[in-house]
Amino acid sequence: MSSSALDNEPQHTTKRPTQRTPGPSKTGLAARIALVVLLTAELMDILDQSVVLTALPAIQESTGAGPAAVQWLTTGYSLPVAIGLITGGRLGDLYGRRRVLLTGTVVFTVASLLCGLATGPGVLIGARSLQGVGVALMIPQILATLHVTFAGQNRSKAFGLYGAVLSVANVLGPVMGGLLTEGDLYGLSWRPIFLINVPVGLAVIVLGRRFIPESTAGTARRLDLTGMLLSALAMILIVFPLAEGHLRHWPLWCFALLAGGLLTLGAFLRHQRRKQNNAPLLPLALFRDRHFSGGTAAQVVHGLLCGLFFMTWTLYLQRGLGMSPVHAAVAFVLLSLGELAGATIAAKSAGRFARRLPQSGALIATAAMAAYGLQAERGQADLTLLAMTTPVVLIGFGLGMVSGPLADMSLARVEHEDAGAASGLFNTAMHLGIALGTALTALVYFATTGGSPDAGLNRDAFITVLWWVGGLLALMWALLFCLPKRADHHAA
């Protein structure tokens, strides 16, 4: 983003009936620093979703973690995020988005230190879950602050950068995980993948307190505790049996929990309908806008395919093709370069092409995923990094064209007073999708491998995964028709 774009950006100082403003206007430099801090916080959050992927074999060897524990190293992070994002968004509306962001950063930083010091899988999974709690507080404030601070083309550019960071972080995590694990700094093996968050988190806390403007929504008078408990219980009852079902051979209690989760979700929605005029946790009126509802549905599918693809891809590269963590990291670099290119195009377009841009990205990724599936099936054990470069880069390129425009167009019509709740819900869609996608690996991948390191089994399982992911990409492309056909509605 050019400096002039933010130098002239109207800061969040104009008083609104529903918005407590931050006070004195920030300078252009302060606005740019605030944007960098927000995007750094987002980068840290998303990195830790995927940083464990290339480190999984080393973590297994070091801690003695079995297949169930390996799966929960990811699910244990995603589940509290999915549970808490809506509540985290409303807390920001109520008590101040900067305050809640910094509180979440403190929790996340402490949890990262505990992850780095963990000696067994139980402690590590517990610390990962605490990281998820911190993220649930942090992420909604990032989108909400961008939404209420920037406007028009500048907001589209800010969301474009948000999408670029999101895209790059999804694949930079495994790259960092592989390089830091292989580097074995000070004999710490995989532990630096978590310890690196400590100095970064401290920087976000110090700079965020100084430069991020504070904002609240005046209409959010109190927290809907009943809604918070019902939404959390529904997420637990749905995601937990999906994660554990295959590992326990689908006992009856798994189906009972799923049924209970759906009933609890229905009770939550009924409660929210009754609370619509009395500070609800989730303003259901948001779903009357098909741009938001359709974009949120597409975000669920986006998270689902990411959760399914990235975990199984790292296992395929290392166990199916016999790559080292560093070589697997290089494969993620290829994907990352493609995502960066796609996200850069999306950021520079600043919303001019409306839904055509993310739809084009989804089509490119779908075609590339199909080509990769055919290549993996024919190449079997002989597939090299050089040979897979073109489809992998194109997969990343297509995904990079989706993230930023999807967030911008989905939230474009949301009122500032509901920015926190809408951002929380939109991010919940992504993280719930990731949790469901990770749980789906039990059905699609581990059902074939049984947790075995056998190369042939891992290759066969991954080829099956690719066809599932291709289908999910096609579904996401169809959902993107709900986004605006023309860009003029949010250009102002």
Side-chain angles (χ1 to χ4, degrees):
M1 180 186 298
S2 67
S3 62
S4 60
L6 287 177
D7 286 337
N8 298 322
E9 178 61 43
Q11 296 302 306
H12 188 55
T13 56
T14 303
K15 292 195 178 286
R16 296 183 176 89
T18 61
Q19 187 78 26
R20 180 165 62 82
T21 58
S25 176
K26 298 285 185 182
T27 66
L29 176 61
R32 291 194 295 276
I33 294 174
L35 180 60
V36 170
V37 173
L38 288 168
L39 295 179
T40 301
E42 180 211 356
L43 178 66
M44 190 166 55
D45 297 340
I46 305 302
L47 276 178
D48 272 70
Q49 177 70 51
S50 58
V51 74
V52 299
L53 295 179
T54 44
L56 284 176
I59 292 174
Q60 276 190 287
E61 183 179 348
S62 172
T63 64
V70 167
Q71 186 169 314
W72 275 100
L73 285 175
T74 302
T75 305
Y77 181 88
S78 296
L79 183 56
V81 175
I83 290 170
L85 278 171
I86 297 175
T87 299
R90 221 36 168 172
L91 286 172
D93 289 340
L94 184 62
Y95 297 110
R97 291 159 187 143
R98 181 184 63 188
R99 179 184 299 176
V100 176
L101 170 65
L102 297 182
T103 301
T105 306
V106 171
V107 173
F108 181 84
T109 304
V110 171
S112 297
L113 179 61
L114 294 176
C115 285
L117 299 176
T119 57
V123 175
L124 183 55
I125 291 171
R128 286 282 286 168
S129 299
L130 187 60
Q131 277 189 314
V133 173
V135 169
L137 295 174
M138 294 169 68
I139 286 186
Q141 320 316 324
I142 298 169
L143 270 179
T145 302
L146 291 176
H147 181 68
V148 303
T149 303
F150 302 104
Q153 291 294 319
N154 286 335
R155 194 191 69 181
S156 290
K157 291 178 182 178
F159 272 100
L161 290 173
Y162 171 89
V165 171
L166 178 64
S167 298
V168 171
N170 277 324
V171 289
L172 185 59
V175 173
M176 286 183 56
L179 293 176
L180 291 175
T181 300
E182 189 80 1
D184 193 22
L185 300 175
Y186 304 106
L188 293 174
S189 184
W190 50 270
R191 300 179 188 281
I193 68 176
F194 299 112
L195 296 176
I196 197 173
N197 289 325
V198 176
V200 178
L202 292 174
V204 169
I205 293 167
V206 172
L207 294 175
R209 183 177 177 82
R210 172 68 178 84
F211 292 103
I212 295 176
E214 183 61 285
S215 62
T216 60
T219 55
R221 296 183 297 276
R222 60 184 179 275
L223 185 63
D224 177 11
L225 293 176
T226 302
M228 181 182 71
L229 293 174
L230 285 172
S231 66
L233 181 59
M235 292 297 100
I236 292 171
L237 292 175
I238 291 172
V239 175
F240 182 79
L242 289 175
E244 291 288 305
H246 172 72
L247 297 171
R248 300 180 183 274
H249 306 290
W250 294 103
L252 183 60
W253 61 261
C254 281
F255 295 100
L257 288 181
L258 281 170
L262 294 175
L263 290 173
T264 306
L265 182 60
F268 167 71
L269 293 175
R270 285 195 300 273
H271 173 74
Q272 293 304 288
R273 190 176 297 113
R274 291 195 299 268
K275 291 276 292 182
Q276 284 308 292
N277 296 320
N278 190 20
L281 182 69
L282 177 62
L284 295 180
L286 290 171
F287 292 102
R288 294 173 187 164
D289 177 14
R290 75 168 191 152
H291 299 164
F292 179 81
S293 56
T296 301
Q299 183 80 327
V300 172
V301 177
H302 189 197
L304 184 59
L305 66 91
C306 286
L308 178 59
F309 177 72
F310 287 118
M311 171 176 271
T312 56
W313 193 37
T314 187
L315 293 173
Y316 163 73
L317 292 172
Q318 294 184 65
R319 292 181 176 175
L321 298 180
M323 294 184 184
S324 69
V326 168
H327 283 104
V330 173
F332 277 92
V333 168
L334 295 174
L335 191 70
S336 179
L337 291 174
E339 287 215 53
L340 182 60
T344 300
I345 288 176
K348 287 184 176 179
S349 73
R352 288 193 301 272
F353 301 104
R355 72 187 183 203
R356 294 191 297 276
L357 186 66
Q359 281 190 310
S360 297
L363 287 176
I364 291 170
T366 303
M369 196 71 70
Y372 191 32
L374 291 172
Q375 187 184 53
E377 191 170 16
R378 293 172 183 171
Q380 294 296 323
D382 299 325
L383 188 59
T384 64
L385 275 174
L386 181 61
M388 68 175 72
T389 295
T390 298
V392 165
V393 170
L394 287 175
I395 290 169
F397 183 79
L399 292 177
M401 292 174 65
V402 173
S403 301
L406 179 57
D408 183 22
M409 287 184 275
S410 298
L411 298 175
R413 293 181 175 176
V414 172
E415 297 293 335
H416 285 190
E417 65 188 50
D418 292 324
S423 300
L425 181 60
F426 187 77
N427 279 292
T428 296
M430 168 60 86
H431 285 271
L432 178 59
I434 290 174
L436 293 173
T438 304
L440 190 60
T441 60
L443 298 174
V444 180
Y445 191 86
F446 289 119
T448 299
T449 67
S452 169
D454 179 78
L457 288 176
N458 279 272
R459 289 195 297 270
D460 292 342
F462 182 67
I463 290 169
T464 302
V465 166
L466 286 179
W467 296 113
W468 276 76
V469 173
L472 290 170
L473 281 166
L475 175 59
M476 183 173 70
W477 171 81
L479 288 170
L480 293 175
F481 276 103
C482 295
L483 296 180
K485 186 176 181 179
R486 292 180 298 275
D488 55 357
H489 81 282
H490 68 293

